[in-house]
Amino acid sequence: MTTLQAAVMVALAALATQITRWTPFLLFRRKTPKFILYLGTVLPPAIWGMLVVYCFRNGTLTGAGSGVPEVLAAAATVLLQLWKRNMALTIAGGTLCYMLLVQLVFPH
Amino acid sequence: MASLLTRSGKGAAAWAAFRVTLPILVGFGFCGFSYGLYMHSLGFAPIVPVIMATVILAGSLEFIMAGMLTGPFAPFTAFAVGLVVNARHLFYGIAMLEPYRETKDWRKPYLICGLIDETFSILGSEPVPEGIDRRWYYFFVTLFNHAYWVCSTAVGAFFGSSLPFSTEGMEFVLPALFLAIFTGSWQKETHHAPTLAGLAITFVCLLAFGPEYFLLPSMACIVLFLLLFRRKLSSSAGEQA
């Protein structure tokens, strides 16, 4: 990809983000449609499910390897969140777990 | 000191905003640093994540964009993913319509541009401290959160490479981020149907369309599914992501 193409993609992502932030202020000043309120409650959890699948779309993160470190680290991440309910701790712990696994336990 | 600060409305508002955003500084310190480091590990120049942090200002989308920038040129997907991943902002905007109404000057566009999850989580849940100028308070909370994100990204991007240990495996920060949000959302919700639908529909689309092109059909099918089963799923409404 050229620098210009990358810049176009970043600009479009930024534009899309700004549209999601501006729309309510430009549109729903008086009354919010009911189906929008409904989507507001059910869309976010569905999107997080989608993004989890997206991360593991190639089976492994690098597209190579057994996938065992990914499965172990993902399980550790979920358990850490269920246990401590601390988002920053979960992200740090899960990442650290994966780094230890690929560097020490399953080196390439 | 305190009397000096309360006399100037701006200073008092900035101080109050700083105190209330301190936990965000800690959280962003880690996430932004990881993002800068992640972009560095993908081979991008340090200025790229800093620019993205400044203009996109939406953490999860920036991580996704990082991966997409290493793939084929896909402007429409970038735009659509941006819309869908950040669709939740629509609902922050709806909630902040009234609080932001009395801000009518140059600060209003900035408040809207910078209405991120963390800013909304503060301004949408806690009242403005007593005796504080609301408009400056809103402005500084937004500005500080924005600054924390950009600065921590810059630190990760510029200095991440001089770390004395290997960063192999650092890329797991993205799956870890989504797994943490996903699990956190799961813990809070009373009905898991939308979450499971998101997982299942995306998985089926992945099998049907392959890893390069499944995101758009997934998003379309999810919205369609949620609207089709609106009556059934509405009973689970009221849950928070």
Side-chain angles (χ1 to χ4, degrees):
Chain A
M1 194 180 324
T2 65
T3 306
L4 180 67
Q5 287 178 324
V8 167
M9 281 178 70
V10 170
L12 284 171
L15 177 68
T17 306
Q18 286 305 318
I19 289 173
T20 64
R21 290 181 187 151
W22 281 89
T23 300
F25 290 91
L26 301 176
L27 265 188
F28 306 131
R29 279 176 175 272
R30 300 226 171 111
K31 213 173 181 186
T32 309
K34 279 218 172 92
F35 82 96
I36 293 285
L37 287 175
Y38 159 74
L39 278 181
T41 62
V42 292
L43 199 53
I47 293 303
W48 301 129
M50 180 188 89
L51 291 172
V52 168
V53 175
Y54 173 79
C55 288
F56 297 102
R57 65 193 179 284
N58 293 318
T60 62
L61 294 187
T62 54
S66 60
V68 174
E70 280 82 357
V71 171
L72 291 177
T77 309
V78 170
L79 288 175
L80 199 55
Q81 173 64 28
L82 289 174
W83 178 35
K84 286 290 183 186
R85 292 178 175 245
N86 181 330
M87 206 75 83
L89 182 77
T90 303
I91 298 166
T95 307
L96 198 66
C97 174
Y98 183 75
M99 290 174 75
L100 291 174
L101 284 171
V102 293
Q103 288 184 27
L104 302 175
V105 187
F106 302 94
H108 298 303
Chain B
M1 186 69 181
S3 64
L4 182 80
L5 284 175
T6 44
R7 202 166 299 155
S8 115
K10 218 199 262 186
W15 179 243
F18 176 68
R19 285 179 46 168
V20 79
T21 55
L22 260 182
I24 310 293
L25 173 58
V26 177
F28 271 8
F30 177 78
C31 287
F33 181 84
S34 308
Y35 171 63
L37 192 56
Y38 176 62
M39 287 294 283
H40 175 83
S41 73
L42 291 178
F44 289 100
I47 194 67
V48 177
V50 176
I51 291 174
M52 286 170 69
T54 309
V55 301
I56 298 181
L57 184 57
S60 42
L61 178 62
E62 288 168 39
F63 270 108
I64 297 171
M65 284 303 296
M68 287 178 63
L69 287 178
T70 61
F73 181 55
F76 184 63
T77 309
F79 184 73
V81 168
L83 281 183
V84 176
V85 169
N86 289 325
R88 64 187 187 284
H89 291 146
L90 290 169
F91 311 106
Y92 303 165
I94 292 166
M96 295 313 286
L97 278 174
E98 284 309 312
Y100 284 178
R101 199 179 288 279
E102 62 183 57
T103 304
K104 293 195 174 79
D105 54 13
W106 55 272
R107 286 170 289 190
K108 177 88 168 247
Y110 180 65
L111 291 181
I112 299 172
C113 286
L115 188 53
I116 58 176
D117 305 66
E118 289 74 11
T119 298
F120 175 71
S121 73
I122 290 174
L123 298 182
S125 61
E126 292 171 44
V128 178
E130 213 166 305
I132 297 293
D133 183 325
R134 312 167 60 87
R135 283 165 294 185
W136 279 116
Y137 178 76
Y138 291 148
F139 172 77
F140 281 118
V141 168
T142 307
L143 179 71
F144 289 168
N145 284 341
H146 192 173
Y148 299 156
W149 180 248
V150 174
C151 292
S152 53
T153 300
V155 171
F158 281 99
F159 303 110
S161 56
S162 50
L163 286 177
F165 55 86
S166 165
T167 56
E168 189 194 348
M170 189 81 204
E171 65 272 19
F172 196 79
V173 69
L174 175 63
L177 173 80
F178 289 140
L179 282 168
I181 298 176
F182 175 82
T183 312
S185 164
W186 182 278
Q187 287 172 306
K188 277 184 243 167
E189 65 197 21
T190 44
H191 298 273
H192 300 306
T195 312
L196 293 173
L199 272 179
I201 290 170
T202 312
F203 189 67
V204 170
C205 286
L206 172 62
L207 296 179
F209 298 95
E212 293 285 326
Y213 303 105
F214 74 105
L215 214 44
L216 265 178
S218 301
M219 293 187 285
C221 291
I222 286 172
V223 170
L224 203 65
F225 174 89
L226 293 174
L227 288 177
L228 273 176
F229 291 92
R230 181 174 165 187
R231 198 169 293 238
K232 264 200 161 137
L233 294 171
S234 285
S235 57
S236 68
E239 67 198 12
Q240 295 282 310

